[in-house]
Amino acid sequence: MPTTLTATQTAPVTERPAHRDPNVLRWLGAYTSSMIGDSVYYIALSWAAVQAGSPSQAGVVMAVSALPRALLMLAGGVIADRLGPRRVVIGSDVVRCAAVLAVAGLLFFAAPGLWALAALALVFGTVDAVFMPAVGALPARVTTRDQLARVQGMRGLGIRFASVVGAPLGGLGVALGGAAAAFGLAGLLIAVSVPLLLSVRVRELPADDKAAARGDTAWRDLVAGLAYIRRHRVLGPLMLAIALGDLGFVGPLNVGLTLLADERGWGASGMGWILAGFGVGAGAASLLLTVRGRLPHAGRVAGCTILAGSFAIGALAFVSGVVAAVGVALLIGLLAGLSGAMCGALLQTQADAAYLGRVTAVSGLVSLGFAPLSMPLSAAAIGVWGTGPVFVTSAAVCALGGVIALCVPGLRRAELPK
C-alpha cells in the first residue's frame, strides 16, 4: 500500500534532501519560531517575577512549570501517538499563545501579581508535557526515513539560532515596553508557527502499524510503549546511555560552571565566553549533520563522542585560563553536539513511527525530568569537596553512558539509514 500524506489537501511524497524540501523547511520555520518565542517567554517571565516578588518567590515561579512537565511527560507521549503529532503540536502552540497573550494583557492593564505568572508557568509546563513528545514524533511524518538524521541536524541549528536570537529579543522587549511587551512578542512568535504547521503535509501511518501500537486504553498504550523500548535491542540501551550522559553533563555545565568561574576569577564575562564556545561547538556539530545528512557507524560515533566528551568535562575543572577554558568548552560542545545528534537520530530512525511519541517522551523525561536533579547535588558537592573532584565524578558518570553504547552489540552496531 503506498504511503499517503495529509494536510489541507493530499499531496505526493517528494524525493529530495530535507534541506531542500519546502515541506520540511516550513516545519523548521514553525519549530524555530516557536522556540524563539519560548526563549522570549522565559526572559519575560523571569523579569516579571523578579519585579513582582522577592528573588526566592521568582525562583519558585520559574520552577513551577518543571513539575507538571516531568509528571505528565509520559502521558503526553501517549496523546501524541493517539491523536497524531501535528494536531497535538498545533493545539499546544494555540494554547501557549493564548495563555501568554492573556498574561500580557493583564500586565498591560493591571498589576495581577505573582499568581498570574505562576498560573502561566503551570499552563506552560502542562502543555510542554504534551508538546515535547509530539515535536519529537513529527519529523518522521514530514520526511522520508533516510532524511531523519539531516532533519535532526536542522533541528539542532534551529535550537541554537533560537537561543542566540531569543534572549536579546526578550531583553529588547522588556527594555522597550516592560514584561507586557515581551510577553506579547513571545505570543506573536509562537502564533507564527500555527499557519506554518497547518501548511505542513504529514505522512499518515498504515492502519496495521497503528493497530499494532495501540491498546484499548491510554494506560495500555503507555505500558506497551515502555515494553517496546525495553525489548528493543537499540532503544533500551540507548535510553540508559542518554540518561547517564545527561546526568554527568547537566550539573557541571550549568551550576558547576558558574561556581568554577567564580573560583577562578573569570567573572561573568569569562563565563559568557565559555558558554559561547560551547554553543559554537554544538552548532558546528548540528551543521555537520545537516550538510552530510548521515554519518556512518552511528552507534560507535555516539559511544566514542560521549566517552571523549566526558574526559573534556573532567579536564575543564583543571584549566586555569579563560582562553584555554573556551577551547575546552568548544570541544565539549562539539562532542556533546555530535553525541546528542547521533542519539537523537538513532531514536528517530530506530523507533517505529507509531511509538515515536512515547519514545520521545521517555527520552525527554530522562533529560528534562531526571538530569536537572544533578544541579543542586553538584552545587552541594562542590561546596564540600570543591570543583575538581565533582567535575571528575560527573565525567565518570557521563563516561558510563559511552561505555554502555560501546559494549552493547545492538547499539554499537546501529547505523543510520542510507
Side-chain angles (χ1 to χ4, degrees):
M1 179 185 298
T3 303
T4 59
L5 299 176
T6 63
T8 53
Q9 57 184 0
T10 302
V13 180
T14 55
E15 295 294 341
R16 66 180 73 183
H19 62 292
R20 297 177 183 172
D21 185 349
N23 194 52
V24 176
L25 294 177
R26 286 194 296 272
W27 162 81
L28 181 63
Y31 178 75
T32 304
S33 179
S34 182
M35 290 299 99
I36 296 174
D38 278 2
S39 296
V40 174
Y41 155 77
Y42 282 111
I43 294 293
L45 183 66
S46 61
W47 178 264
V50 168
Q51 296 299 307
S54 65
S56 61
Q57 289 173 325
V60 171
V61 169
M62 295 299 294
V64 161
S65 61
L67 184 60
R69 185 169 57 214
L71 292 178
L72 301 175
M73 184 78 75
L74 295 180
V78 172
I79 293 172
D81 285 337
R82 276 187 163 248
L83 300 182
R86 176 172 169 270
R87 184 184 305 173
V88 172
V89 171
I90 292 172
S92 300
D93 275 346
V94 168
V95 172
R96 297 193 306 161
C97 175
V100 171
L101 291 179
V103 172
L106 280 175
L107 290 173
F108 184 79
F109 291 108
L114 287 171
W115 68 267
L117 301 176
L120 175 61
L122 186 65
V123 169
F124 236 76
T126 302
V127 175
D128 268 353
V130 182
F131 173 79
M132 296 178 69
V135 164
L138 192 53
R141 308 286 187 95
V142 301
T143 191
T144 53
R145 188 169 176 267
D146 62 305
Q147 292 297 312
L148 284 173
R150 176 173 273 125
V151 168
Q152 190 68 23
M154 295 167 67
R155 183 181 176 186
L157 288 176
I159 292 172
R160 294 298 158 197
F161 180 79
S163 65
V164 170
V165 172
L169 273 180
L172 181 63
V174 169
L176 294 178
F183 276 127
L185 177 59
L188 292 176
L189 286 165
I190 295 172
V192 168
S193 69
V194 176
L196 287 172
L197 286 169
L198 288 171
S199 69
V200 170
R201 302 185 309 275
V202 294
R203 192 184 315 274
E204 285 294 340
L205 298 179
D208 292 343
D209 289 356
K210 288 183 179 180
R214 182 174 295 179
D216 297 332
T217 64
W219 174 254
R220 289 185 179 179
D221 279 4
L222 176 58
V223 172
L226 296 175
Y228 171 76
I229 295 170
R230 179 174 50 82
R231 292 192 305 264
H232 201 284
R233 65 185 185 86
V234 174
L235 296 179
L238 181 59
M239 290 295 181
L240 185 56
I242 291 172
L244 291 169
D246 283 349
L247 279 172
F249 176 84
V250 170
L253 268 296
N254 285 275
V255 62
L257 181 59
T258 303
L259 297 174
L260 182 66
D262 181 65
E263 180 183 291
R264 295 285 194 276
W266 295 337
S269 62
M271 188 177 70
W273 281 109
I274 294 170
L275 290 174
F278 171 79
V280 169
S286 296
L287 181 61
L288 173 65
L289 194 56
T290 299
V291 173
R292 288 290 303 272
R294 178 185 182 272
L295 295 179
H297 312 298
R300 287 190 180 91
V301 170
C304 290
T305 50
I306 292 173
L307 201 57
S310 68
F311 284 104
I313 289 172
L316 186 60
F318 300 96
V319 174
S320 57
V322 174
V323 175
V326 171
V328 174
L330 192 149
L331 179 61
I332 294 172
L334 179 63
L335 293 169
L338 279 175
S339 63
M342 287 296 99
C343 290
L346 286 171
L347 285 177
Q348 289 283 322
T349 55
Q350 292 289 327
D352 189 305
Y355 288 98
L356 201 45
R358 282 161 284 181
V359 170
T360 305
V362 173
S363 174
L365 182 62
V366 165
S367 298
L368 298 173
F370 299 148
L373 296 177
S374 65
M375 288 193 285
L377 293 176
S378 295
I382 288 173
V384 176
W385 293 294
T387 53
V390 173
F391 269 68
V392 170
T393 302
S394 297
V397 173
C398 185
L400 286 176
V403 170
I404 289 172
L406 294 174
C407 289
V408 177
L411 178 52
R412 184 179 69 250
R413 298 169 184 162
E415 293 280 4
L416 299 177
K418 295 182 180 179

